[in-house]
């Protein structure tokens, strides 16, 4: 049994065939998923999927790349997170890949999320791209270890993974780890201990091999587990069981999410 720790079921590619997406999850033994929020405008749709399906949970947060949208405050995030199906704050973080400095607003937005997570006691979903030094620095400055969380769709070096794990964070691998040119990341996956590891699709993006180029969906997350298992010389059952257990522990979803 697998859990997809990060997907975007409210994005049009997945929303247009949600019953089919959920059916293929069930057929592939994917027993649950975390539907991740990227803007406050999107949040009602993100939460609605979680409210309508017992095996889907939600987050609330604003992605570092989201512009021309409502800027979150600590109070607003804490208020929206006060719902039994909202299990995390994010996705938030820093992304210097697409946008140019000055990006103080991005760092301020990230600080707001960390403060909200600390206040409401829910873990963080952290997105970091081309910004790992600043991401770790802001996490330390804001006491992110008090909230804990996950470095999602991890593509950084082992040193960055170790810095995040030292703050109590989990490392989540996506379909990128299955790509042929992802040698360095595959070494990181080998090194991250099983009790710190999560798997995700980040769908509808980044479909794993052999679905590369197609629209991604939570039902493909077993391909990530298979690759991690092969890299670690473990059975896929063990990687599935341990990553699922980590998911329940981190997001305090104690009841195994039931398939319907
Ligand atoms: Zn992300
Ligand atoms: Zn995402």
């Amino acid at each position: 049994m697998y859990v997809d720790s990060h997907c975007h079921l409210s994005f049009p590619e997945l929303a247009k065939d949600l019953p089919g997406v959920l059916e293929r999850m069930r057929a592939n033994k994917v027993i649950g998923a975390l539907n991740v929020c990227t803007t406050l405008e999107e949040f009602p749709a993100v939460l609605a999927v979680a409210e309508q399906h017992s095996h889907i949970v939600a987050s609330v947060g604003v992605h570092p790349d989201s512009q021309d949208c409502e800027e979150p405050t600590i109070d607003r995030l804490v208020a929206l997170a006060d719902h039994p199906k909202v299990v995390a704050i994010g996705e938030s973080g820093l992304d210097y890949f697409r946008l140019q400095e000055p990006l103080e607003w991005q760092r301020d937005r990230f600080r707001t999320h960390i403060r909200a997570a600390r206040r409401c006691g829910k873990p963080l979903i952290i997105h970091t791209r081309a910004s790992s030094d600043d991401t770790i620095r802001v996490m330390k400055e804001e006491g992110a270890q008090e909230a804990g969380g996950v470095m999602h769709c991890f593509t950084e070096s082992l040193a960055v993974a170790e810095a995040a794990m030292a703050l109590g964070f989990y490392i989540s691998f996506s379909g990128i780890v299955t790509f042929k040119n992802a040698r360095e990341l595959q070494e990181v996956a080998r090194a991250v201990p099983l009790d710190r590891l999560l798997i995700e699709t980040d769908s509808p993006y980044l479909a794993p091999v052999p679905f590369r180029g197609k629209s991604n969906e939570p039902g493909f997350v077993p391909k990530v587990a298979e690759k991690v298992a092969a890299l670690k010389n473990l059975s896929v059952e063990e990687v599935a069981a341990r990553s699922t257990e980590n998911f329940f522990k981190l997001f305090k979803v104690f009841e195994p999410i039931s398939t319907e």
Side-chain angles (χ1 to χ4, degrees):
M1 295 191 303
Y2 308 85
V3 173
D4 184 355
S5 75
H6 190 115
C7 61
H8 298 281
L9 296 174
S10 308
F11 284 14
E13 296 90 333
L14 294 173
K16 71 179 183 208
D17 179 29
L18 192 59
V21 167
L22 296 175
E23 169 51 32
R24 289 187 292 279
M25 273 178 70
R26 199 196 54 74
N28 290 305
K29 300 195 177 74
V30 182
I31 59 164
L34 173 45
N35 191 22
V36 175
C37 182
T38 61
T39 64
L40 297 183
E41 289 82 354
E42 179 198 17
F43 177 69
V46 171
L47 181 61
V49 178
E51 284 179 322
Q52 286 154 17
H53 301 280
S54 61
H55 60 309
I56 309 293
V57 289
S59 73
V60 63
V62 182
H63 192 286
D65 265 354
S66 297
Q67 292 173 288
D68 304 317
C69 59
E70 181 184 338
E71 195 58 39
T73 63
I74 300 170
D75 286 346
R76 183 102 164 97
L77 288 170
V78 169
L80 293 173
D82 186 21
H83 184 291
K85 297 230 69 174
V86 178
V87 301
I89 302 293
E91 60 181 299
S92 178
L94 301 176
D95 192 328
Y96 299 167
F97 183 74
R98 194 171 66 82
L99 303 175
Q100 307 300 317
E101 292 284 353
L103 290 172
E104 203 52 44
W105 63 268
Q106 219 184 52
R107 292 182 283 273
D108 287 345
R109 182 186 284 176
F110 185 28
R111 290 180 194 280
T112 297
H113 283 80
I114 299 172
R115 291 173 194 183
R118 288 181 60 180
R119 195 187 293 171
C120 69
K122 297 194 179 187
L124 286 154
I125 302 166
I126 295 186
H127 170 111
T128 179
R129 191 170 185 200
S131 61
S132 57
D133 288 354
D134 277 6
T135 300
I136 296 290
R137 177 176 61 81
V138 172
M139 287 168 72
K140 285 182 180 163
E141 286 172 4
E142 294 293 336
Q145 65 268 31
E146 197 184 292
V150 56
M151 307 302 284
H152 107 88
C153 194
F154 194 79
T155 54
E156 304 295 331
S157 66
L158 181 57
V160 175
E162 282 171 345
M165 288 190 287
L167 298 175
F169 276 68
Y170 288 77
I171 307 297
S172 181
F173 294 95
S174 69
I176 293 176
V177 79
T178 69
F179 296 176
K180 267 205 175 63
N181 59 4
R183 288 262 164 159
E184 200 191 333
L185 184 63
Q186 289 163 356
E187 291 308 314
V188 178
R190 258 194 198 107
V192 168
L194 263 189
D195 64 356
R196 297 272 99 195
L197 189 146
L198 294 173
I199 53 173
E200 67 173 80
T201 59
D202 204 11
S203 52
Y205 310 123
L206 300 168
V209 173
F211 306 113
R212 215 177 156 178
K214 281 191 175 184
S215 180
N216 196 8
E217 57 181 61
F220 294 165
V221 82
K223 294 292 168 202
V224 179
E226 281 170 22
K227 184 67 190 187
V228 170
L231 290 167
K232 288 181 161 306
N233 274 321
L234 296 169
S235 68
V236 67
E237 288 79 10
E238 179 156 25
V239 170
R242 297 292 296 280
S243 57
T244 298
E245 184 185 311
N246 294 341
F247 179 89
F248 289 136
K249 195 171 159 197
L250 174 60
F251 296 111
K252 300 185 178 68
V253 183
F254 288 117
E255 313 253 316
I257 305 172
S258 67
T259 44
E260 20 186 77

